[in-house]
Structures are given as structure tokens and as C-alpha cells.
Amino acid sequence: MPHPATMTQGPGAPFAPHLRRLLEFTEPDRDDVCLDVARGQGPMPAALWPQVRHVTAVDALPPPAPGRRGGRMSTVTFGTGLGTGPVRILGGPDDRARPGTVRGGPPPLHDITTGHRGTPDPVRVRADATALPYRDGSFTLVTARFSLFALGAPDRMLSELLRVCRPGGRLIIADLVRGNLAQADRDRIERLRDPDHPGTPSIAAVTDLITSAGASIRRLDVFTVERPLEPWLAGARDPDAADRIRTALLDEVDGGPRTGAKPRVIGGELWFTQSWAHVAAEPI
């Protein structure tokens, strides 16, 4: 049985095992010039900053809807960042704490959103994810964590991420997925919590989108995480919807209809599962 994920205390802040897994998958280099595009303030800039030459963080705006003035989509907290709660990675080495720290020392105490080692710039960039304000090939490493599909225009956003990625550079996508043979019923729970949830893509849909946009896939890491329900439900827009989700999962535990979330009770708390994927691609 998997054990609750623990925090590994690095030189500056504890890294949750799932974030450490993504950081190791990313393989940052000291010479990298990085761009992170997130919906809201994600943890990747602070995680990358000690290990690379420069980090730029974009708090991404969704593309304006036709006939509407530009506006912000409400930020959904995925609860998968630095020290935001327990997550189990099932069947992987992250069930056990592994020693190790990030390289280069702790980030300064103030917000590292755009900067390089020694001279951080605390100003966060806000930009349309489908029209990034950077020249072609500006970055050697581009990351997008739980934002490619959440912002509503994955094909256009992916084209922009590849445009600003230098030839020979790397694009790292981290997102929710479902198995290629899995039914889409699982999205009913996601949409109860967040009516704007765009639907969980299959693994094949993600890889096809990336290759169709003009990139080659170099590595793929697909795994299952198990997480407590209540911190995730805290992001629900409607308390009644949260109650319906809670009831549906408890019913499934008791032998009722399957939701696709595979819930179970651990230590008196209700937990559920999600499938996550890390994809490393390179512009062609």
C-alpha cells in the first residue's frame, strides 16, 4: 500500500514528491533560459530558479472570447505545488522520501517570478497565452503545468510555446490525462467542481496535439496520483456541487455506481485518484 507523500526539505523550501518528479523530468541546466506559463501563480519558477540561468514566469490570461472584452478566468488551484498538501504517487519511488536537494541554494524570500541568479526581478508578467510578448526562439526551456488545456485554446497556446522555444530546446507539458481506453465519464466529477473544466484529454490526444503542432516527443511519463478529497473540493465554486461530489464518491466506496475517481477511505479521510502526464517535446 502506498504511503502518504512526504516533503523533502531542500535548502529553501520543501518540495512535494510530485513536484520533485516533474523537476527531475524537466532536467534543467545551469545555462537554460526558461519560460514558465501557468494559470495563476504556480510553483515551477521557484523550483527552477536555483538551477538555471534565467526564469521568466507568465501568469497566463485566457484568449479573449469572441464578442467579449478581455477578462480573467478565475484561477483554479490544483493543490499540487510547494507544500500544498499530501499526494501519493502510486506504484512509484515517490512513495518513499528520497534524499536530495535542488542545486544552487535557496531562492530569496521575496517572490521570484522573473529573474536570474543574483538579480531576481519580482515583477510577474501577465500575458495572453496565445500571444506571448517574446521573440521567436527566446527560451531554451519552456514549461506549462496544468495550463495547456485549462486556458481554453490548447492548439493556439501550444503553437506559441513552440514559437518561443529555441531550436534544440525543450518544451515540458504537465497535465491531467485519462487512459486511451478510459471513458470520459470521469469529467462529470471535474465539471461539478469547476463548470469551466475543458475535459480531460486522453494520452493519445495530448501526444497527437503536440506532434500536429510541429514538435517531436522525446519522453513521456504517465502515472497515477492519489489525493485527499477535501483540499481539492475547497476549490469548488458551489458548495452544493461539492456535496454532490462527496456523496457520489462515498456511494462508490459503499459499492455504488463508479465515478472513475476510484475513491477510498484512508485514515478516516476520503481520497481519490487522478492520472497525470509529463511530456518532453522538442520543436522540429
Side-chain angles (χ1 to χ4, degrees):
M1 179 180 293
H3 300 287
T6 57
M7 298 297 177
T8 296
Q9 183 68 43
F15 286 91
H18 49 281
L19 181 60
R20 187 176 62 241
R21 181 172 180 148
L22 175 57
L23 191 63
E24 292 173 354
F25 181 85
T26 300
E27 298 181 344
D29 184 88
R30 283 190 176 274
D31 292 327
D32 273 327
V33 178
C34 304
L35 174 70
D36 178 68
V37 180
R39 183 184 179 186
Q41 297 187 13
M44 280 300 284
L48 287 168
W49 178 83
Q51 305 197 54
V52 301
R53 181 158 61 93
H54 189 280
V55 179
T56 298
V58 169
D59 180 357
L61 299 167
R68 288 181 52 192
R69 296 180 180 179
R72 280 223 59 163
M73 176 184 289
S74 61
T75 297
V76 173
T77 301
F78 284 90
T80 51
L82 289 162
T84 54
V87 172
R88 303 171 185 235
I89 300 176
L90 301 185
D94 292 302
D95 284 343
R96 300 177 300 276
R98 289 176 292 174
T101 59
V102 293
R103 184 176 58 190
L109 294 178
H110 55 283
D111 183 25
I112 299 294
T113 52
T114 304
H116 53 85
R117 291 191 301 269
T119 57
D121 178 353
V123 177
R124 178 171 292 275
V125 177
R126 287 190 174 183
D128 180 351
T130 64
L132 296 170
Y134 305 109
R135 296 179 179 177
D136 295 0
S138 295
F139 303 93
T140 61
L141 175 62
V142 179
T143 61
R145 179 178 177 273
F146 299 114
S147 58
L148 181 61
F149 293 90
L151 290 167
D155 51 345
R156 294 164 56 194
M157 177 176 170
L158 185 58
S159 294
E160 274 295 275
L161 298 179
L162 290 169
R163 180 186 67 78
V164 301
C165 188
R166 190 173 303 172
R170 295 102 69 211
L171 169 64
I172 306 295
I173 301 293
D175 226 308
L176 298 173
V177 295
R178 58 182 173 86
N180 292 331
L181 300 179
Q183 300 296 319
D185 295 348
R186 176 68 174 76
D187 285 335
R188 185 178 71 86
I189 296 295
E190 299 283 351
R191 288 197 173 103
L192 276 174
R193 177 180 177 268
D194 175 16
D196 289 333
H197 180 72
T200 305
S202 67
I203 299 166
V206 174
T207 56
D208 287 350
L209 180 68
I210 293 172
T211 54
S212 296
S216 59
I217 294 174
R218 299 305 188 191
R219 289 176 292 124
L220 179 64
D221 179 24
V222 181
F223 55 100
T224 299
V225 300
E226 192 171 39
R227 57 191 303 187
L229 180 68
E230 293 305 323
W232 183 73
L233 280 185
R237 298 184 186 180
D238 181 357
D240 290 339
D243 287 340
R244 290 165 62 190
I245 294 171
R246 194 178 293 110
T247 298
L249 297 191
L250 286 171
D251 286 347
E252 181 174 358
V253 170
D254 291 336
R258 294 183 179 181
T259 63
K262 299 179 181 178
R264 63 183 180 133
V265 176
I266 303 174
E269 292 184 284
L270 192 58
W271 289 56
F272 73 106
T273 63
Q274 291 177 327
S275 294
W276 295 359
H278 301 160
V279 186
E282 181 179 330
I284 297 175

